[in-house]
Amino acid sequence: SYTAAMISPPPANGTLAFFSIYLLLLGVIVMASRSAFRILDRIGRTENSGYRKALIYGAGHRGQIIVRELSNNSDLNLQPVGFIDDDQKLTGRSVDRLPIVGANNDLVSLIARHQVAALIISSNTVNDTRLQLVMQLCQDRKIAVLRCSLNIEPVENERSGLGANLQVDLSVSSTSTLT
């Protein structure tokens, strides 16, 4: 009887269509339920006035880590609105669904256009003169300048030399604060 069931022709007309529609509907419901929390969280973040807008200076790996940290850590009260990068060819592209809004020479107009309250420097390759210029520019406009550092440090066996020269510290430290 099992062999006969396997060899038998497909069900009558309409049955296959019913199961196809049911499968499609089930897929839509599963996808909608899985994404509902993310959609509601994003809507809540954009409409919540408690979050301050922030631009991220540097669209590399560290900038991506900052975006994830800001989206997962609501205690920081910062909402990333875009990236600024030294490479002008990247302007207009997006990283982690955030646009690269311009280059560092457009900083004044980008700050005004996006009405940011903070600038987070993710790159460790920004030279000191450029950093001083950015800090002065932001200080004149009462915008906080933050720098994110990522370090790996050994917890145990520091004297044995295991893990020497490794440091991790995923924290956002303030270089300049709002007054």
Side-chain angles (χ1 to χ4, degrees):
S1 69
Y2 178 74
T3 308
M6 295 301 293
I7 298 175
S8 67
N13 289 342
T15 308
L16 185 60
F18 171 77
F19 284 113
S20 298
I21 291 172
Y22 178 75
L23 181 64
L24 181 65
L25 184 61
L26 182 65
V28 168
I29 290 171
V30 168
M31 287 189 322
S33 66
R34 291 183 61 117
S35 60
F37 288 108
R38 284 188 179 186
I39 292 170
L40 292 174
D41 184 51
R42 184 168 291 263
I43 290 171
R45 279 182 174 264
T46 56
E47 294 177 358
N48 189 351
S49 61
Y51 287 97
R52 299 178 304 156
K53 294 180 180 180
L55 280 174
I56 301 170
Y57 192 119
H61 293 294
R62 290 177 184 215
Q64 294 172 22
I65 290 171
I66 291 171
V67 169
R68 286 188 211 110
E69 181 64 23
L70 293 178
S71 65
N72 292 331
N73 189 349
S74 60
D75 293 337
L76 295 172
N77 290 330
L78 291 172
Q79 176 188 6
V81 293
F83 289 99
I84 297 173
D85 200 87
D86 292 336
D87 189 357
Q88 292 185 350
K89 292 182 261 180
L90 297 177
T91 301
R93 296 185 181 181
S94 63
V95 177
D96 283 343
R97 294 178 297 218
L98 279 178
I100 300 175
V101 294
N104 60 7
N105 53 0
D106 302 331
L107 188 58
V108 175
S109 64
L110 293 172
I111 288 172
R113 185 180 324 141
H114 295 285
Q115 299 174 346
V116 297
L119 177 71
I120 304 172
I121 299 174
S122 68
S123 176
N124 61 349
T125 60
V126 178
N127 64 32
D128 289 338
T129 13
R130 181 65 190 155
L131 183 60
Q132 291 299 323
L133 179 66
V134 166
M135 287 176 57
Q136 184 62 45
L137 221 131
C138 289
Q139 185 178 9
D140 293 344
R141 288 160 182 76
K142 298 192 182 337
I143 294 173
V145 176
L146 308 168
R147 174 173 257 168
C148 181
S149 62
L150 178 64
N151 300 318
I152 298 176
E153 297 176 348
V155 176
E156 295 180 18
N157 299 327
E158 290 180 359
R159 292 197 175 151
S160 69
L162 295 176
N165 298 326
L166 296 178
Q167 298 179 351
V168 171
D169 173 23
L170 184 57
S171 62
V172 177
S173 61
S174 176
T175 305
S176 170
T177 57
L178 290 174
T179 56

